[in-house]
Amino acid sequence: MQEPITRQLVRIIFAFTVACSVTTRPVYSQAAELPAHTDDDGSNLWLKYHTVRGTTLLADYRSKITQIIAQDTSPLGISARDELIHGLSHLLAQKIPNATAVTQHGTIVIGSSATSTIIASLGWEAELNALGDEGFIIRSAVTSGKNVIVIASKTQRGALYGTFNFLRLLQSHSSLARLNISDKPVNRLRQIQDWTNWDGSIERGYGGTSILQVSQLPDKVNPRIKLHARALAALGINGITLNNVNAQTDWIKAANLPKVRAIANVYRDYGVKVYLAVRFDSPAAIGGLPTADPLDANVINWWTKKVAEIYEAIPDFGGFLIKADSEGQH
């Protein structure tokens, strides 16, 4: 979020390199099933959530974290809830139950002002609006006569970012006393380039073939895509261009859009929009037109129909990355 840019770049490159390695590990198919920290094949990166060391600190954390209230049942809300339960259960080495009401000290309340009645009752709406759609607050509070910790946002995506931030506090052995953190992204678009080729190879790839495993889509979705989505969300990344900037036309052909949709469905649950690199000359290469001139009426009509076709398959599609007149591409 607001850490030094060099550190962000190192973490992003590391996440990309390791997460793109091919492995033969068990398949995690359910939303609530996240890989345990004992499955240390590297794919979990820094999200392994080892048990907190030190009996005094562990006891303090356990006294301040006793249950979770997550009222948001959207896909993003479920991702945040599952990450929080999964992470805390491993960090504290005990089960953290999901509750429906504040009945004891140490309740963690997570959600957006629109989905949580508890958060809405705190009167933080102006602050949350000022932080925008992806900002968040992590704050100690008192509600129903109990000491609680609230992870609040204007939207579900901000609550997810707040979740990862809160888990980092425990991973770094920070104090949970009198919490009052507010944060928001500096840049609206925070995107990564995946460089996957249609045949499954990766341009300048050093960790094996692509985790997207396009040839198996849409029927079989590689569980590593979810691990990658988690890592990106933990960094605050909200967009990914799936394919090589030296684009191939296969990615936007109508018959292949179900494959792209299957990938987008996974990244969406972690607030990451999918983008595609496309060839400038696509109208001529696959559209049968004699030109790709963007001012030509037929070219404009072709792109209009193609864009509508993509958005029909992926309603929250991010957009195109276009590279033209370079390395032999026109």
Side-chain angles (χ1 to χ4, degrees):
M1 300 286 284
Q2 288 187 334
E3 60 184 334
I5 186 64
T6 52
R7 188 182 305 167
Q8 289 185 34
L9 290 174
V10 169
R11 293 174 69 185
I12 290 169
I13 292 170
F14 182 61
F16 171 76
T17 302
V18 176
C20 286
S21 300
V22 174
T23 189
T24 53
R25 290 287 178 174
V27 173
Y28 300 91
S29 59
Q30 300 300 318
E33 294 180 354
L34 296 174
H37 67 269
T38 53
D39 184 16
D40 194 3
D41 61 0
S43 61
N44 284 299
L45 305 173
W46 62 93
L47 303 177
K48 289 178 284 191
Y49 303 129
H50 292 295
T51 302
V52 173
R53 294 182 179 181
T55 55
T56 301
L57 182 62
L58 181 58
D60 179 63
Y61 282 170
R62 285 175 170 175
S63 70
K64 290 183 170 63
I65 302 171
T66 58
Q67 63 180 12
I68 294 170
I69 296 179
Q71 297 174 301
D72 187 353
T73 58
S74 70
L76 270 172
I78 292 172
S79 294
R81 180 202 66 193
D82 290 351
E83 191 72 32
L84 194 57
I85 292 175
H86 171 77
L88 293 177
S89 295
H90 285 295
L91 286 163
L92 305 184
Q94 65 181 21
K95 183 177 180 180
I96 307 298
N98 191 31
T100 57
V102 178
T103 58
Q104 55 187 312
H105 294 295
T107 299
I108 307 294
V109 181
I110 175 175
S112 66
S113 53
T115 60
S116 171
T117 55
I118 298 173
I119 292 174
S121 70
L122 295 174
W124 299 351
E125 186 173 359
E127 291 181 78
L128 293 174
N129 286 338
L131 291 171
D133 289 343
E134 297 179 306
F136 60 84
I137 290 173
I138 302 175
R139 184 174 294 170
S140 301
V142 176
T143 183
S144 299
K146 305 296 183 182
N147 295 321
V148 301
I149 295 174
V150 181
I151 304 172
S153 175
K154 180 182 176 182
T155 69
Q156 296 95 331
R157 187 179 292 175
L160 179 63
Y161 294 156
T163 294
F164 283 113
N165 189 291
F166 180 70
L167 290 170
R168 280 197 292 272
L169 294 178
L170 277 72
Q171 287 177 295
S172 58
H173 296 180
S174 301
S175 172
L176 299 185
R178 295 182 294 278
L179 287 171
N180 189 13
I181 298 170
S182 63
D183 202 357
K184 66 178 181 179
V186 174
N187 300 311
R188 183 179 63 83
L189 179 61
R190 306 173 303 281
Q191 190 173 341
I192 191 171
Q193 173 84 35
D194 199 57
W195 289 78
T196 292
N197 295 314
W198 189 253
D199 65 3
S201 63
I202 293 184
E203 184 90 1
R204 302 185 183 93
Y206 305 105
T209 54
S210 173
I211 62 169
L212 300 183
Q213 297 184 357
V214 177
S215 64
Q216 299 182 28
L217 295 167
D219 298 324
K220 183 179 179 181
V221 180
N222 184 5
R224 278 272 174 123
I225 298 175
K226 179 175 180 177
L227 293 175
H228 194 217
R230 285 178 66 215
L232 295 184
L235 291 168
I237 301 296
N238 62 7
I240 179 171
T241 301
L242 298 178
N243 56 320
N244 190 348
V245 69
N246 299 312
Q248 299 155 310
T249 56
D250 303 83
W251 294 87
I252 60 172
K253 290 179 179 178
N256 293 332
L257 289 179
K259 292 176 177 286
V260 182
R261 178 174 62 234
I263 298 170
N265 288 344
V266 179
Y267 282 107
R268 181 183 299 110
D269 289 351
Y270 285 87
V272 182
K273 284 188 175 183
V274 160
Y275 296 71
L276 289 174
V278 295
R279 284 174 53 171
F280 182 86
D281 67 346
S282 293
I286 60 174
L289 298 181
T291 179
D293 182 353
L295 298 181
D296 184 274
N298 289 326
V299 171
I300 294 172
N301 183 58
W302 188 89
W303 276 117
T304 300
K305 290 181 178 179
K306 178 56 65 177
V307 169
E309 186 178 70
I310 294 173
Y311 274 101
E312 183 177 357
I314 310 166
D316 61 342
F317 178 65
F320 293 141
L321 183 156
I322 298 178
K323 176 186 178 187
D325 293 327
S326 174
E327 300 181 81
Q329 291 195 352
H330 303 289

